[in-house]
Amino acid sequence: MKYDTVVIGSGITGLTAALVLAQRGQRVAIVEKNRFAAPLLRRFRRGGVWCDPGFHYSGGFEPGGALSVIFRYLRMGDSIRPVPMNADGFDILRMGDMEVSIPVGLDRVEDALRAAFPQSEKAVRGYIEKVNAIMSLTPFLSFDLDYRDFSNNQHMIDESLDSFLDGLGAEKNLKELLGQYGQFLYGVPGNEVPFYIHALIMGSFYRSSQTLANGGDELVDAFLHRLDQEGVVMFCGSPVAGIEVDNNRTITGVKLGNGEMLECGSCISTIHPGLLVDLLPGGAVRPAFLSRLRGLENTEAAFATYLEVDDVPARLNDANFYRMRHPEALTHNSILAIMMAGSMSHGSRKKGLCVLKESPNSPISKELYGTSRRASEYVEYKEMETANTVERLLECYPEMRGKIRVADSATPHTYERYTGTPGGSMYGVKHSVNQIKLNSMTSIRGFYLAGQSILMPGIMGGAVSGVVTAANIIGLETVWNEVKQWRQ
Amino acid sequence: MTEQEIAERVKKIMVEEFELKEEILVPTASLYDELGLDSLDSVDLVVALEREFSFKVVRNLDEEKIRAIRQLKDIHEFIMEKQKAMQGEPK
């Protein structure tokens, strides 16, 4: 059987792209190396609490927002019910002794930042203005645009967040706070992230941050139901062994680990682009492209700890708490993020909490982790990092001492195992002023790259990348005009 | 680095990374018509040059200059210019 399109990877981008194509009548297959679809989006249960490794909250769920429009267009609108977070402060940011609550709405974010940084009043205004301006020029963040606006990249300036804020005369701590906050949500420090990436991601959170009652499961269930309705074939437990390309540098198929060959007219790869080095046949692309894939710099990984708690501090019920690195502090040099308890407790008698910690360097080699997951060095490392996370949490919330039990934790190795992303990197390839963006098109006809490494990190970036890449195959004008009809 | 040294290193990239034959790599060779590079290759080329010569292309600053590159010798000139600019930068 020949497929119109084979999609590699069943994360948010792969699921979205496959459904867009199938809705337009294409015969589509998705291949996934894990035994089940969307392993990062899927929750798992430990000790009676739900653990959500990938999805915690997102922008774009408000009516007319990127995700709600995309999901309505994909006829999933009824199955996805976003839960608003605390409108007066969905993210509580603490840096040193300072605490800033980020409310919903760009105007209110401006007020909150001005109150916290009175000396940088003008800089804050300039910052919010520019975030707004960039969003209004970007398809999906604005549905007023024409399909031709996709090629307008004048606002995608290669200036870093730090340099932009310097230009506005922002004080050091404002720069530090926005830089670290963003870094946790897209994986790139303020001196490297292009300002427009910061603006698009943070702006969508500022507009409206919401979570889902059933966490990432809600997305996966809705997708699998719709993909089944549209006749998309899912191959799980099927790692890709190779991409098949003919002498004219045109895609012909995707070969699976079990030797099975899926012939196809086009293929969208949503896996980390660096993994393609081992999958592309010799001569299909120039060595320069492979060198580039090998040299890609990735975002940092995170260490996740899942806790069962007797009682959740009231404000963590509908807000996240970020403990930033203090610019002058020598210890605690990693950002800690406590994800709101809401979705982890839903439909469960026990209350749970997920704490994420930046985790740049794991001392465990890939080989050691690969040989035996229970190698004592690995277990030791995992226990130590978990204990450290708990200690950091208790520093922020001493009242929780004695009232928490560790349900499980996920190391960068765990993330790498399930996602394939080198080093378990949270957001894939770095979008950095020091790294030229990869193109979705490749020199192999019919072979496209998509996902957070290509377009933009996060759930929203991944979903938008899925739609845009599918649209590049079947016609951007048609798809965009269809999508736009679902904005109301 | 002299223009000669730059030319040698660019040639090496063209042979190893773009699988081009050394004999066609004359300074006046047109990248697109004679060497057969396309727009996707040109981005990979910029990345390869960045790595080889340890500079960073700044889109707003360099875009026009890169777009004006037609022949192999234009690359050499671009690199010379980048290096001059880098020497002027405070360390």
Side-chain angles (χ1 to χ4, degrees):
Chain A
M1 178 153 73
K2 187 172 171 174
Y3 295 95
D4 293 311
T5 302
V6 171
V7 175
I8 304 176
S10 67
I12 186 78
T13 307
L15 297 173
T16 305
L19 190 48
V20 172
L21 295 170
Q23 260 187 201
R24 295 280 310 171
Q26 278 212 359
R27 186 193 290 271
V28 182
I30 302 177
V31 294
E32 166 60 52
K33 80 179 166 81
N34 287 278
R35 286 175 292 108
F36 52 93
L40 185 61
L41 282 176
R42 269 252 178 254
R43 294 187 302 179
F44 59 92
R45 221 180 151 97
R46 285 285 185 284
V49 293
W50 284 112
C51 307
D52 217 327
F55 177 82
H56 301 103
Y57 71 126
S58 177
F61 278 123
E62 74 280 12
L67 285 179
S68 74
V69 174
I70 290 173
F71 293 148
R72 274 161 49 85
Y73 161 65
L74 296 174
R75 321 297 194 264
M76 294 171 20
D78 295 338
S79 347
I80 292 172
R81 297 167 313 272
V83 181
M85 298 171 66
N86 191 332
D88 297 326
F90 59 87
D91 279 339
I92 305 160
L93 316 178
R94 192 188 288 173
M95 189 173 74
D97 300 327
M98 164 183 266
E99 202 171 279
V100 185
S101 287
I102 304 296
V104 171
L106 276 95
D107 295 351
R108 297 186 65 205
V109 173
E110 180 176 338
D111 293 342
L113 291 175
R114 279 164 70 165
F117 300 96
Q119 288 174 351
S120 298
E121 207 169 293
K122 262 175 79 180
V124 168
R125 194 179 319 134
Y127 165 74
I128 294 289
E129 254 170 36
K130 193 73 180 175
V131 168
N132 252 324
I134 288 176
M135 291 175 89
S136 69
L137 290 170
T138 306
F140 290 92
L141 276 309
S142 162
F143 286 98
D144 294 329
L145 301 167
D146 187 75
Y147 79 98
R148 293 180 201 89
D149 293 316
F150 278 75
S151 49
N152 169 19
N153 57 8
Q154 290 310 306
H155 58 289
M156 289 160 68
I157 36 171
D158 265 357
E159 185 179 13
S160 72
L161 170 67
D162 279 2
S163 130
F164 176 76
L165 290 174
D166 280 341
L168 293 176
E171 65 198 87
K172 183 165 172 264
N173 280 351
L174 171 62
K175 231 170 74 179
E176 195 67 45
L177 189 82
L178 292 174
Q180 291 193 40
Y181 183 24
Q183 184 177 0
F184 210 89
L185 293 166
Y186 46 69
V188 189
N191 61 351
E192 276 188 59
V193 65
F195 182 73
Y196 81 92
I197 289 278
H198 173 91
L200 295 177
I201 293 173
M202 302 317 289
S204 67
F205 278 103
Y206 298 159
R207 269 187 189 169
S208 146
S209 277
Q210 306 200 35
T211 185
L212 297 169
N214 293 319
D217 281 351
E218 200 161 311
L219 295 172
V220 183
D221 291 341
F223 266 112
L224 294 186
H225 176 69
R226 280 289 296 137
L227 289 165
D228 189 49
Q229 279 183 337
E230 296 291 343
V232 173
V233 185
M234 180 88 74
F235 292 85
C236 286
S238 307
V240 172
I243 314 285
E244 302 285 316
V245 179
D246 71 11
N247 291 335
N248 296 318
R249 288 193 174 180
T250 302
I251 185 100
T252 57
V254 173
K255 200 171 159 193
L256 303 183
N258 61 8
E260 192 173 350
M261 170 79 168
L262 308 179
E263 282 181 66
C264 61
S266 52
C267 172
I268 301 175
S269 169
T270 70
I271 58 176
H272 188 280
L275 302 173
L276 293 171
V277 170
D278 296 325
L279 301 178
L280 293 169
V285 292
R286 295 194 197 265
F289 184 64
L290 296 177
S291 304
R292 194 175 163 200
L293 294 182
R294 272 188 214 102
L296 290 171
E297 214 184 304
N298 292 316
T299 55
E300 281 180 2
F303 189 99
T305 302
Y306 305 98
L307 303 165
E308 185 196 326
V309 296
D310 294 336
D311 213 5
V312 179
R315 58 185 194 163
L316 289 181
N317 268 317
D318 52 6
N320 307 311
F321 180 89
Y322 286 82
R323 182 78 172 107
M324 303 302 184
R325 295 186 294 258
H326 192 279
E328 269 93 42
L330 297 171
T331 53
H332 294 173
N333 228 1
S334 57
I335 305 170
L336 192 76
I338 306 167
M339 292 293 135
M340 59 172 286
S343 80
M344 281 190 65
S345 310
H346 186 83
S348 161
R349 277 181 299 114
K350 294 181 175 174
K351 296 190 180 84
L353 210 57
C354 169
V355 187
L356 299 167
K357 189 162 76 87
E358 272 185 304
S359 189
N361 303 308
S362 156
I364 309 299
S365 69
K366 203 173 167 180
E367 289 70 30
L368 185 65
Y369 178 76
T371 49
S372 159
R373 285 188 55 222
R374 299 197 182 279
S376 62
E377 291 93 329
Y378 177 70
V379 174
E380 214 170 277
Y381 155 73
K382 189 169 167 175
E383 280 170 2
M384 203 183 72
E385 284 292 296
T386 304
N388 175 278
T389 304
V390 170
E391 262 328 293
R392 300 270 321 269
L393 167 70
L394 291 175
E395 279 168 25
C396 301
Y397 288 95
E399 66 270 31
M400 297 184 83
R401 192 173 290 279
K403 294 177 183 163
I404 52 181
R405 285 162 298 282
V406 175
D408 203 353
S409 39
T411 72
H413 303 279
T414 323
Y415 280 103
E416 179 167 7
R417 177 163 160 244
Y418 284 102
T419 63
T421 299
S425 150
M426 250 195 295
Y427 297 108
V429 172
K430 250 188 194 177
H431 294 273
S432 160
V433 295
N434 297 326
Q435 182 157 265
I436 300 178
K437 238 173 143 53
L438 278 169
N439 203 306
S440 175
M441 290 253 287
T442 68
S443 53
I444 300 171
R445 260 183 297 274
F447 184 64
Y448 302 85
L449 310 182
Q452 63 174 354
S453 292
I454 309 302
L455 190 71
M456 215 171 66
I459 292 284
M460 198 180 83
V464 171
S465 173
V467 179
V468 173
T469 313
N472 282 334
I473 295 177
I474 50 185
L476 183 60
E477 187 179 0
T478 318
V479 173
W480 180 240
N481 288 336
E482 275 180 12
V483 171
K484 272 164 71 170
Q485 290 173 12
W486 293 87
R487 59 194 292 193
Q488 298 303 336
Chain B
M1 213 180 297
T2 64
E3 187 163 0
Q4 185 60 35
E5 284 166 324
I6 290 173
E8 279 309 311
R9 286 166 79 165
V10 170
K11 192 182 266 184
K12 193 163 168 271
I13 289 177
M14 289 299 186
V15 172
E16 289 175 5
E17 300 280 309
F18 291 87
E19 299 169 310
L20 297 170
K21 294 214 167 61
E22 205 171 332
E23 50 272 27
I24 61 171
L25 296 171
V26 293
T28 54
S30 141
L31 297 180
Y32 303 101
D33 298 334
E34 289 166 60
L35 303 184
L37 301 189
D38 61 22
S39 62
L40 289 172
D41 291 326
S42 66
V43 183
D44 294 341
L45 176 59
V46 170
V47 175
L49 294 173
E50 280 186 337
R51 193 163 308 153
E52 179 69 27
F53 296 98
S54 316
F55 61 69
K56 285 289 168 198
V57 161
V58 184
R59 201 165 63 122
N60 319 17
L61 224 68
D62 296 321
E63 201 172 358
E64 285 300 306
K65 288 179 207 158
I66 289 177
R67 203 170 292 162
I69 290 176
R70 290 278 173 277
Q71 301 178 344
L72 214 45
K73 65 175 169 46
D74 301 335
I75 296 181
H76 306 158
E77 274 162 32
F78 175 72
I79 294 166
M80 298 275 277
E81 224 177 278
K82 280 301 272 188
Q83 290 197 327
K84 233 180 257 164
M86 264 170 34
Q87 280 158 9
E89 271 173 25
K91 271 274 170 191

